[in-house]
Amino acid sequence: MVMVTTEYQGKSQVTRDADGVGLALSTNQRRPVRLHGRVVRHAYPLRVALETLGELVWSDFQWLDEDAWQREMDLILDPVITVHRDRVFFEAFNQDQSAYGLVIADRGIFEDEGETICGTTNVDFTRGLWTAVRAMRSREETWFRVGPSGFGVSTGGGGQHFEEKVEVPREWVRGLLQLQTAMGMPGTRVTMSPVDVASVVRFLRANKAYESPRSLRFEFRPGEDTRLVLEPWEEVVELPGAAHRYIKEKVTRIWGRRRLTLIEGLLPFASQVQVYLKGRGLPSFWAVEMPGVTFVLGMSGWTGNNWTKESSFDLMLPESVSEEVLERVMAALAQAQGASAKELAAAAGADLGEVTGALGEACRRGRAIYDVQSREYRHRELFEEPIEVEEYFPRDPRREAGRRLLEAGEVEVLSDEFRVGAGSTRGREGSPRVFADRHVEGRCAGEEVRVVLRTDGGIIFGRCSCEFFDENLMGRGPCEHMVALRGWTEAQGSEVEGTSRNPS
């Protein structure tokens, strides 16, 4: 168990007086962050986004008996807020740890009052607070204050100092870190109109699937707009304008679609929804873009496969990362607060492949977050003190098993080459954008196995004939046979240079 301690000077609260409505979020005094300002535009999108975040935190998509439900209630951590010069982030997990919510608010919607202190901290959270957020109205002046003192008034005990100590399993924290790793993985972006997403949610509400498969199937055919098919009914949702530039036909399936009901209330106010697909059975992220505010819903591969249950997306990262490069990258990221991998490579004076691996490691340690909307990395220190990585990421049994297979000579490589993958696209002018990823195929302990690697050694995709892959696909990370095959490539190296990918 991990003891998480937060100290608050007062309770968060929503107040109303002659000057308007005030949302005062009391922050952890152990990590000072401050943002005081008047909401000068887009107050309503901010309200519905925060309201949706509250609904997500209290949601649970798995059946639990009363005792199990109470245990999960005891594990809820206060949402995390990050204040940057240009954006404000609110992050939270839901109760069954299969859904993640992120509210991104542009700083331009606030008119600052006094000093702003950038950083990351927790905010005091209660069910009543998020219910009271409904009191915010665009026709009234709205004040937004994040800081240890809130409004400095006492209402219902609001001015009293209190401390909370929550015992959280390491697996829970590890799951949150696994999610951050998944956000930065390469993937596919699909632009959907809000009405198309709403039609999907309405259809799922009206129809119950009694047979498999129960997935959303995204189809990418060269020269055609993306199509979305609801299985098992084969109900087709055409996505006009959802262009893609894939050269080869591609299909991606995701499960656990009931969780999309969480964003249903946002759709009437949205301009578009950006869907980031990480792969078949892998997490997906749905960014609902509204004026000044974006709500990102992150869903694990399927509801029962939450991020705390044996998910090992860190196994898809390069085996080793230079600590020196990591510190140079983090120094550059802290200065910029947000930047792309290419920009950070230039600032840190390091190879892009090394920097991409270092950024994946930074996410794994809770020191950075990948902003899927802007497609850049953001500095975000999730923990008050740097963590001992080994406590949260002990040697994974699959990693150890893969190493033993490699040492025992159980890996037989049949082909190893850089070649154009299904992810290659055409540029805006029609010219091909070729990703020469490393494709390795072979046998390992009697299993047929294949991995596709980035130039930094990270796993993009894999297939195996083993039982683990058959049951989980890549939803819990690579199997031991993929790990062994990737280990062979690291031992051999390569004189051929591939073309690095950018996430999403």
Side-chain angles (χ1 to χ4, degrees):
M1 303 290 283
V2 179
M3 181 66 72
V4 177
T5 303
T6 54
E7 294 182 13
Y8 298 111
Q9 184 170 324
K11 287 282 188 181
S12 295
Q13 57 190 297
V14 175
T15 63
R16 173 177 270 107
D17 55 27
D19 294 328
V21 176
L23 175 61
L25 299 178
S26 183
T27 61
N28 183 3
Q29 291 189 105
R30 300 162 66 100
R31 306 183 67 186
V33 172
R34 185 184 189 276
L35 171 63
H36 287 195
R38 183 168 61 94
V39 181
V40 294
R41 56 181 66 87
H42 309 315
Y44 197 77
L46 178 63
R47 170 202 146 180
V48 294
L50 291 176
E51 187 179 333
T52 300
L53 185 68
E55 292 172 359
L56 178 142
V57 169
W58 298 104
S59 69
D60 193 319
F61 290 90
Q62 298 185 43
W63 184 88
L64 294 173
D65 60 33
E66 185 174 349
D67 290 340
W69 183 83
Q70 186 59 52
R71 286 195 299 271
E72 291 210 353
M73 287 282 292
D74 293 340
L75 294 180
I76 290 178
L77 284 179
D78 290 332
V80 173
I81 184 171
T82 299
V83 176
H84 278 171
R85 291 186 291 267
D86 59 339
R87 288 187 164 189
V88 181
F89 286 9
F90 298 85
E91 301 175 71
F93 243 170
N94 78 329
Q95 289 185 51
D96 62 23
Q97 296 99 51
S98 72
Y100 161 84
L102 169 64
V103 175
I104 305 173
D106 293 339
R107 284 286 303 277
I109 71 177
F110 305 106
E111 184 180 84
D112 290 355
E113 176 190 72
E115 179 189 15
T116 296
I117 302 175
C118 295
T120 299
T121 187
N122 298 95
V123 292
D124 171 50
F125 171 86
T126 64
R127 186 189 291 268
L129 172 69
W130 297 108
T131 302
V133 165
R134 296 186 176 95
M136 295 172 62
R137 294 291 184 270
S138 57
R139 65 177 180 272
E140 298 177 301
E141 288 282 297
T142 300
W143 294 87
F144 185 86
R145 298 190 179 186
V146 175
S149 59
F151 284 109
V153 298
S154 178
T155 303
Q160 300 173 1
H161 177 277
F162 66 99
E163 179 178 278
E164 291 184 339
K165 293 184 178 181
V166 181
E167 285 190 347
V168 182
R170 280 185 169 81
E171 293 78 9
W172 198 98
V173 179
R174 182 176 181 271
L176 183 58
L177 297 175
Q178 290 283 0
L179 182 147
Q180 308 300 333
T181 302
M183 290 180 76
M185 290 165 51
T188 300
R189 180 176 56 166
V190 178
T191 301
M192 295 180 63
S193 70
V195 69
D196 290 332
V197 180
S199 68
V200 170
V201 175
R202 284 197 299 268
F203 185 90
L204 294 173
R205 282 190 182 279
N207 298 273
K208 183 175 179 59
Y210 294 98
E211 58 185 30
S212 296
R214 301 180 180 92
S215 72
L216 298 180
R217 187 175 81 230
F218 288 85
E219 298 181 347
F220 306 93
R221 299 174 180 174
E224 300 178 12
D225 286 340
T226 306
R227 293 200 328 161
L228 177 58
V229 182
L230 282 68
E231 297 179 321
W233 308 278
E234 291 299 304
E235 176 75 12
V236 177
V237 179
E238 301 289 350
L239 305 179
H244 65 88
R245 295 188 293 274
Y246 281 109
I247 296 173
K248 298 181 179 181
E249 187 170 334
K250 178 181 172 66
V251 172
T252 300
R253 284 182 171 87
I254 61 173
W255 289 266
R257 54 203 181 185
R258 281 194 306 138
R259 292 169 290 177
L260 290 177
T261 57
L262 289 167
I263 60 174
E264 186 177 13
L266 301 172
L267 299 176
F269 315 103
S271 57
Q272 64 181 10
V273 179
Q274 300 277 10
V275 185
Y276 300 88
L277 305 170
K278 299 302 181 180
R280 184 171 184 256
L282 291 176
S284 62
F285 297 88
W286 299 65
V288 184
E289 298 183 1
M290 299 172 287
V293 181
T294 295
F295 185 94
V296 179
L297 170 65
M299 304 191 302
S300 60
W302 55 91
T303 306
N305 179 27
N306 64 41
W307 279 288
T308 63
K309 289 185 178 178
E310 301 178 20
S311 294
S312 296
F313 298 118
D314 58 301
L315 290 182
M316 301 178 76
L317 298 175
E319 180 74 20
S320 59
V321 172
S322 166
E323 288 292 330
E324 179 187 355
V325 172
L326 175 60
E327 290 308 315
R328 289 188 352 233
V329 168
M330 287 308 305
L333 187 59
Q335 180 68 28
Q337 296 200 345
S340 68
K342 287 184 179 180
E343 291 170 337
L344 291 169
D351 176 76
L352 179 59
E354 286 185 306
V355 169
T356 302
L359 287 167
E361 180 65 16
C363 291
R364 190 173 79 118
R365 298 184 186 184
R367 303 191 62 194
I369 182 174
Y370 182 70
D371 184 344
V372 295
Q373 185 194 31
S374 64
R375 286 181 285 176
E376 64 181 13
Y377 288 87
R378 290 267 169 174
H379 181 232
R380 196 271 272 110
E381 298 285 353
L382 185 62
F383 301 101
E384 185 176 347
E385 299 290 341
I387 66 169
E388 294 292 336
V389 181
E390 293 76 14
E391 289 187 21
Y392 296 94
F393 295 91
R395 298 300 297 182
D396 192 283
R398 276 176 270 163
R399 191 188 299 275
E400 294 300 315
R403 182 167 297 172
R404 288 194 297 269
L405 289 172
L406 183 61
E407 293 174 350
E410 293 283 351
V411 177
E412 177 188 1
V413 175
L414 303 177
S415 66
D416 176 18
E417 61 182 342
F418 281 90
R419 65 176 188 244
V420 175
S424 294
T425 65
R426 294 193 179 277
R428 297 185 183 278
E429 305 301 323
S431 58
R433 298 171 58 202
V434 177
F435 298 111
D437 299 316
R438 189 173 184 178
H439 292 242
V440 188
E441 298 184 31
R443 298 188 185 92
C444 182
E447 306 290 352
E448 304 289 333
V449 60
R450 170 191 173 202
V451 293
V452 182
L453 307 173
R454 301 192 304 254
T455 53
D456 64 356
I459 297 176
I460 300 169
F461 176 76
R463 283 189 182 278
C464 188
S465 59
C466 71
E467 182 179 352
F468 181 88
F469 180 80
D470 186 56
E471 292 181 355
N472 301 288
L473 304 176
M474 295 291 286
R476 292 183 175 173
C479 66
E480 61 192 61
H481 310 102
M482 296 180 201
V483 173
L485 192 60
R486 195 264 296 274
W488 180 90
T489 66
E490 293 181 339
Q492 298 296 314
S494 178
E495 297 180 357
V496 181
E497 290 188 359
T499 303
S500 180
R501 292 170 176 264
N502 288 325
S504 298

